[in-house]
Amino acid sequence: MDVLISNHIDHSALRSHPWTKMQTDDESVYMDFKQHPNLIRTALEDLIPYKKWDFVEQFYTLIEWINSQDCLLESNDCTFNAIEDNSDKQYAYAKKCSARLMILFRDIPENCQEKSITWLLEKLQSLIAASKPKFKAGAIGLSLSPTCYLALGDTPDTGGMGHQLTLNFFAYGKNERRCYENMKEILIVAEQSLKRINKSIQLGELDKLYTLSN
């Protein structure tokens, strides 16, 4: 599957974790789905109008797993943009839809270690690129988002400055049904890849980065 990497980091769009509410939408507030998994299927308002489509169930499943006790990652934000005319010339389809998921290490200090966050991005890139190589109706974009981790301090000199990883999902098709079918395929690849990363963390692959450097 195509994976797109953005090397541009927009430092003007500094986020915090946890965040309070969106500047553009006072009704959107941060919810800790680790503590309140029962809210996932009711609080993600972008998805509710599309519940009849299978990709929504797949999205719920991904978010439920990543915030479960079985995972060493967690999510911070999630959005979905419904079908629209496609202007992306590299994908020759009439329609597209998109979504976003922001993730981070559950061990908060890890997100402030450049070596760790780079490992997460590069590992995920490799796994996605190796998945479904014949699939040409979508892509996953990866980028780093500057983040202030409030549990560690709220200024640059307190150790709380780091990143989180943003996954942007792009699905294409000749009509609405095909778009949403392809979005489901993309979300399946994302979940499978993140589960493999979780297993790698459990097996100590991330810790070895620091063992080898000592």
Side-chain angles (χ1 to χ4, degrees):
M1 181 175 291
D2 289 349
V3 55
L4 313 172
I5 301 294
S6 174
N7 293 318
H8 173 69
I9 298 177
D10 184 3
H11 291 281
S12 67
L14 178 65
R15 288 174 168 262
S16 65
H17 179 78
W19 50 280
T20 51
K21 61 184 179 181
M22 294 178 62
Q23 293 181 348
T24 57
D25 185 357
D26 288 343
E27 295 184 0
S28 295
V29 297
Y30 171 75
M31 294 185 183
D32 187 345
F33 289 141
K34 303 188 307 301
Q35 300 297 322
H36 304 285
N38 57 303
L39 296 179
I40 290 173
R41 292 172 180 260
T42 57
L44 299 175
E45 296 181 356
D46 288 354
L47 296 175
I48 291 175
Y50 306 96
K51 289 175 67 173
K52 71 175 184 178
W53 299 98
D54 289 345
F55 82 88
V56 173
E57 178 62 29
Q58 182 60 45
F59 217 160
Y60 285 149
T61 299
L62 169 57
I63 297 168
E64 286 170 343
W65 169 76
I66 205 168
N67 290 289
S68 72
Q69 294 181 351
D70 297 328
C71 188
L72 296 173
L73 304 168
E74 64 179 280
S75 67
N76 184 27
D77 192 17
C78 168
T79 62
F80 173 69
N81 300 303
I83 191 169
E84 60 181 333
D85 291 339
N86 175 33
S87 60
D88 299 335
K89 295 181 179 180
Q90 65 270 42
Y91 294 96
Y93 296 91
K95 302 294 182 180
K96 77 170 183 179
C97 63
S98 61
R100 183 184 72 207
L101 180 66
M102 304 186 78
I103 64 170
L104 55 136
F105 291 107
R106 201 167 294 196
D107 182 8
I108 295 300
E110 207 76 71
N111 299 290
C112 300
Q113 298 293 327
E114 183 177 356
K115 189 180 293 187
S116 297
I117 204 73
T118 299
W119 175 87
L120 178 60
L121 184 148
E122 292 179 348
K123 184 80 171 178
L124 188 54
Q125 176 189 13
S126 176
L127 290 170
I128 294 170
S131 302
K132 297 181 74 69
K134 295 182 179 180
F135 180 82
K136 299 301 179 183
I140 298 178
L142 303 177
S143 61
L144 297 179
S145 299
T147 302
C148 178
Y149 289 93
L150 300 179
L152 304 178
D154 58 3
T155 60
D157 60 352
T158 57
M161 304 305 294
H163 293 87
Q164 57 187 308
L165 182 59
T166 300
L167 289 76
N168 287 294
F169 308 117
F170 304 99
Y172 304 87
K174 65 180 182 180
N175 53 35
E176 183 179 44
R177 179 175 63 84
R178 290 295 178 85
C179 265
Y180 294 157
E181 287 175 350
N182 290 328
M183 178 59 77
K184 179 183 177 181
E185 293 300 313
I186 291 167
L187 293 169
I188 289 172
V189 168
E191 181 174 348
Q192 291 173 341
S193 300
L194 288 168
K195 283 185 173 180
R196 292 181 66 180
I197 284 177
N198 189 58
K199 187 66 173 180
S200 295
I201 299 172
Q202 291 173 335
L203 293 175
E205 185 174 327
L206 184 60
D207 292 337
K208 288 179 182 178
L209 295 178
Y210 298 93
T211 303
L212 294 174
S213 64
N214 292 334

